[in-house]
Each structure stands twice: as C-alpha cells, then as structure tokens.
Amino acid sequence: MMAAVAWRSLLPVIMISIFMVYEEWVSFPSCKLLPSTTYSPDKHVENVDDSLEDLKVMMVANLLLLGSEAGFVNLYFRDYYMSKFFKKSFQSLNPDMLLVLGDVSAKGSELSRTKWLSVLHQFDNMLGPFLDLPVHVILGDRDVGECSGLCANSVNWIARNFPGLDSSGCGAFEISNISFVSLNAVALLCGNNKLRFDVEKVIERESVGLQMEIEGMDEANNGFGMFSEMSNDFRWRVNAMKSGSGPVLLLHFPLYRSGKTHIGEGSTFKSIIDPSGKVPASAQREGFSGTGPYDLSQTVPPNATEYIFHALKPRIIFSAHTQEFSDHTHPDGTREVTIPAMTWKVRDDPGFIVATFQRNKSAVSVTYCSVARESRILIAYTSALVLFLFFIIVSNALEPKGLS
C-alpha cells in the first residue's frame, strides 16, 4: 500500500519531467541543405576582404501575430511554442542576421496604432535572442492592406517601427560585404499611387548606385539621361550590368513567374505558385486562408517584375506571401526562393530558410528548416493526458480497501 501511495505521489513529477525533456527536444528545428536550381560554378569574387566570414541569414515570414487580440490558444500554446522555436533555432544555427519578409501582423491594416503597438511588443518577445542581432523587417499585405486603402501616412508610421525602412517601406543595407535591397511589393500592385512612385524612385536610385560602383562614376553619369520605355508607365535607365551582379532582393510578394518552378530531384517540397494561378488545398487552413487582402497566388505584376530585373539585376531573390516553400529559376537564371509561413495559424508544419552567403564565392547555399508539427504536439499532449488518467485509475483500483 505504501508503495502504491509513493508511486502516485511521484507520478506528477515524472510526467512533468518527461514533458520538459520532450518540449526541449521538439523545439529544435530539422534542417536540410537544398540543391541549387541553377548552374553556379564556384567563381572566386575579386577584392574580397579575407577577414570576413560567411554570412548566415535566417529568414522567416508570415508570423501573423494578433497582439492584444490573441486568444488563449494562440497566446499560451501557438505563440509560446513559436518563441521556443526562435530560441532553439538561434542556439543551434547561430545565424548572423534575421530577415522577416512581411505579414508580421495577422490583420495589421485593420488595427489602431494602440493595437499595433501590442503586436510589436509581442513580436519583440517572440524574437528573444535575435534582438541582439541585426534584424530587418519588410512590409506585407496584411501589415498595410490592399491598394484601395493604402495610406502613405499609415505605411510611414508602421515603417518607422521597423529599423532600416524608409517612409515608403523600402530599405537598402550592406552587411559583411553583401548588399541587400528590400521593396514594398504591395505598392507595386497599385496604379497611380504615390507609394508606387516612391518605390520606383528607390529602385532607380539603387540601380544608379550599382552602376556607379560597377562601371565607374563617369560612365554612369554619361548614361544618366538614357531611358527605355515599357508598358504601364514604367521607365528605366539603360543598364549594362550583367544578370546576377546586383544586390540580394527582398520582397513580400513573389515576382511574376512565366515558367514552372524547379524542384530538386528527390525533394519533398512543393511549390504553391502555379502558372494557372490556382492555390493548392494544402495552403488553406481554417480561420486564415483567403482572409488576407490578396489571394495567396498573387505575384508582382509582369511589367513591374520586368522593371525590377532590368534595373537591379538581383543576385538572388527571397519572397514570401504564399505560406509555402518554393524554389524557382527565372528565365535569366536568377534564383527566387519563397519562404514558408512560420506559424501554426496557417499550416501544420511551419518552416523557415537559412541562406549562407560565402565570402569568397558567388554562390548562395539555401537550407530549408522545419519545426514541429502542431498535430504531433497535440497528439503528444493528448496521449500523455490519457496515460496519466490511466495510471490514476489503475492505482486507485489496485489500492487495498480498508475493512468495513
């Protein structure tokens, strides 16, 4: 009898210990290096500072935080585990920088500034140790809304809360000799909108700056007045830069894709972007699918895509929005990697990307990382609860009854 009582008293301690070990184990990401979809020989880059190390950048998207409107399940289960995933990813991967490619908020375009501040506070708490690293955030459609309601003052206020963004929601920076340009892709979907024109100015400014660096000041100035016309009022300067010689391009919406997405042989990852514009059922989840300002198959329009390729000649492109992973090669050989959602709110298996920029080579290696499925953790909790109740019932049944 004493043994049965002791066993019952120890059972909660044993269960809690098992949960703590399981929670630690399940919080670490599972990562896989992806094969390159383009031919990229290991060409050594000229004039590289030998003191620089490879730059490892962790990229996430679609956090869809609710701030003060988060319910019990989101606040104490989903967001709690996402915080642990960020912490363990930081510990195991040791990245140099974090990029967030839009949709920090689930419905930021509908929030007052007070409620937006609660989202930003939740965002800081979730990032944890990443706040000690360089962090760059770009704006998504859920953050700023669609064209019909796109307000320059509102975008400016939101952008001011994310370091490195200008009033139009764009940014440009350099770290470890790698240049990055982030664009407000939402504005590029709009017609005669001031923000779209501001984004075009950013693209033009970066294009001129790149040509000055590559071709020299005099040659860039000689071509200053030379423009090419294209449809829908886009105009660009003549650009003699080679494809892939520009910056790393960061967008929320993927660029327009005229061909099929390339998937590495044997890869289990599927693309959400179909040339037909259809969104697979796997991308839809109750409560969030179809509730954003734009459909998940939305891309940057073809004319804006052409303009970006001509002006910036991006080295590689990282985008988001679709909530799914894809790896695409554009006709000019430029690689575009679309980052999956990092939340259980829209998918059972969240994930993120780690891009490693090698200091002495032109290639960029991309690693896909997945975190624990919500369904498996729920099954683990349910199984543990059933097992706990079973032991309680069995121990009560085996306990000797006193004499009446």
Side-chain angles (χ1 to χ4, degrees), residues 21 35 98 155 198 238-239 268 274 277 395:
V21 172
L98 177 68
V155 170
D198 289 343
V238 173
N239 189 346
T268 58
D274 188 312
S395 60

Side-chain angles (χ1 to χ4, degrees), residues 224-243:
F224 189 81
M226 301 171 63
F227 287 87
S228 294
E229 295 286 348
M230 66 180 296
S231 60
N232 289 3
D233 299 326
F234 280 97
R235 303 174 73 234
W236 62 48
R237 303 185 198 280
V238 173
N239 189 346
M241 293 168 55
K242 295 180 180 180
S243 295

Side-chain angles (χ1 to χ4, degrees), residues 38-198:
T38 60
Y39 174 68
S40 181
D42 292 339
K43 295 180 180 179
H44 288 264
V45 179
E46 300 292 336
N47 301 321
V48 173
D49 185 353
D50 290 335
S51 65
L52 295 175
E53 297 181 353
D54 293 348
L55 177 67
K56 184 185 291 185
V57 182
M58 179 172 163
M59 304 185 189
V60 301
N62 301 80
L63 300 179
L64 303 181
L65 301 179
L66 291 164
S68 59
E69 296 187 3
F72 181 86
V73 172
N74 283 317
L75 190 61
Y76 295 103
F77 178 65
R78 288 175 168 170
D79 293 340
Y80 164 76
Y81 265 100
M82 288 302 145
S83 297
K84 291 190 69 68
F85 293 153
F86 271 102
K87 181 179 179 181
K88 296 303 180 184
S89 298
F90 177 85
Q91 293 175 358
S92 61
L93 299 173
N94 193 28
D96 302 305
M97 182 181 185
L98 177 68
L99 297 176
V100 184
L101 299 193
D103 283 357
V104 170
S105 173
K107 45 184 178 179
S109 60
E110 305 172 13
L111 299 180
S112 64
R113 292 188 176 184
T114 301
K115 290 187 176 181
W116 242 115
L117 290 175
S118 71
V119 171
L120 295 171
H121 179 70
Q122 186 182 10
F123 177 63
D124 288 345
N125 289 338
M126 181 171 287
L127 294 192
F130 281 95
L131 293 177
D132 294 328
L133 298 180
V135 177
H136 186 75
V137 181
I138 66 176
L139 304 180
D141 58 315
R142 291 178 185 267
D143 298 320
V144 298
E146 59 185 342
C147 288
S148 60
L150 201 59
C151 172
N153 290 334
S154 177
V155 170
N156 183 24
W157 183 87
I158 297 171
R160 288 205 311 267
N161 288 282
F162 295 120
L165 295 182
D166 63 15
S167 60
S168 65
C170 299
F173 59 95
E174 184 175 300
I175 182 170
S176 295
N177 212 32
I178 308 295
S179 297
F180 294 83
V181 171
S182 65
L183 300 177
N184 181 354
V186 181
L188 290 174
L189 272 59
C190 305
N192 294 324
N193 184 290
K194 179 182 180 300
L195 282 172
R196 196 202 82 170
F197 298 132
D198 289 343

Side-chain angles (χ1 to χ4, degrees), residues 93-387:
L93 299 173
N94 193 28
D96 302 305
M97 182 181 185
L98 177 68
L99 297 176
V100 184
L101 299 193
D103 283 357
V104 170
S105 173
K107 45 184 178 179
S109 60
E110 305 172 13
L111 299 180
S112 64
R113 292 188 176 184
T114 301
K115 290 187 176 181
W116 242 115
L117 290 175
S118 71
V119 171
L120 295 171
H121 179 70
Q122 186 182 10
F123 177 63
D124 288 345
N125 289 338
M126 181 171 287
L127 294 192
F130 281 95
L131 293 177
D132 294 328
L133 298 180
V135 177
H136 186 75
V137 181
I138 66 176
L139 304 180
D141 58 315
R142 291 178 185 267
D143 298 320
V144 298
E146 59 185 342
C147 288
S148 60
L150 201 59
C151 172
N153 290 334
S154 177
V155 170
N156 183 24
W157 183 87
I158 297 171
R160 288 205 311 267
N161 288 282
F162 295 120
L165 295 182
D166 63 15
S167 60
S168 65
C170 299
F173 59 95
E174 184 175 300
I175 182 170
S176 295
N177 212 32
I178 308 295
S179 297
F180 294 83
V181 171
S182 65
L183 300 177
N184 181 354
V186 181
L188 290 174
L189 272 59
C190 305
N192 294 324
N193 184 290
K194 179 182 180 300
L195 282 172
R196 196 202 82 170
F197 298 132
D198 289 343
V199 174
E200 289 178 30
K201 291 177 183 177
V202 171
I203 296 173
E204 193 63 35
R205 182 188 67 219
E206 294 301 319
S207 177
V208 171
L210 289 167
Q211 292 182 72
M212 285 181 174
E213 291 179 8
I214 295 175
E215 301 174 4
M217 182 73 74
D218 292 337
E219 293 184 17
N221 286 334
N222 288 338
F224 189 81
M226 301 171 63
F227 287 87
S228 294
E229 295 286 348
M230 66 180 296
S231 60
N232 289 3
D233 299 326
F234 280 97
R235 303 174 73 234
W236 62 48
R237 303 185 198 280
V238 173
N239 189 346
M241 293 168 55
K242 295 180 180 180
S243 295
S245 60
V248 177
L249 181 61
L250 309 173
L251 302 147
H252 178 67
F253 288 117
L255 295 181
Y256 177 77
R257 304 178 183 184
S258 57
K260 295 181 179 179
T261 298
H262 298 279
I263 301 296
E265 184 177 356
S267 173
T268 58
F269 309 120
K270 297 181 179 180
S271 167
I272 183 141
I273 302 211
D274 188 312
S276 67
K278 296 180 180 179
V279 181
S282 61
Q284 301 174 359
R285 202 167 193 207
E286 183 179 356
F288 276 86
S289 79
T291 60
Y294 291 96
D295 190 86
L296 296 182
S297 63
Q298 179 68 55
T299 65
V300 175
N303 60 325
T305 296
E306 185 182 1
Y307 174 56
I308 289 170
F309 272 117
H310 179 88
L312 297 179
K313 308 289 186 181
R315 175 181 180 180
I316 189 172
I317 303 160
F318 293 97
S319 57
H321 180 69
T322 68
Q323 302 172 3
E324 297 281 337
F325 168 83
S326 72
D327 197 347
H328 179 81
T329 302
H330 288 277
D332 70 344
T334 304
R335 185 180 187 183
E336 178 174 358
V337 178
T338 302
I339 299 169
M342 184 62 171
T343 177
W344 279 333
K345 297 182 181 76
V346 293
R347 55 183 297 134
D348 188 41
D349 55 339
F352 59 90
I353 292 296
V354 177
T356 303
F357 300 87
Q358 300 175 359
R359 67 177 179 84
N360 60 346
K361 298 178 182 179
S362 60
V364 180
S365 62
V366 177
T367 300
Y368 179 93
C369 296
S370 59
V371 297
R373 290 178 177 269
E374 181 181 38
S375 58
R376 292 178 180 174
I377 291 183
L378 289 174
I379 290 172
Y381 273 98
T382 303
S383 301
L385 179 60
V386 171
L387 188 62

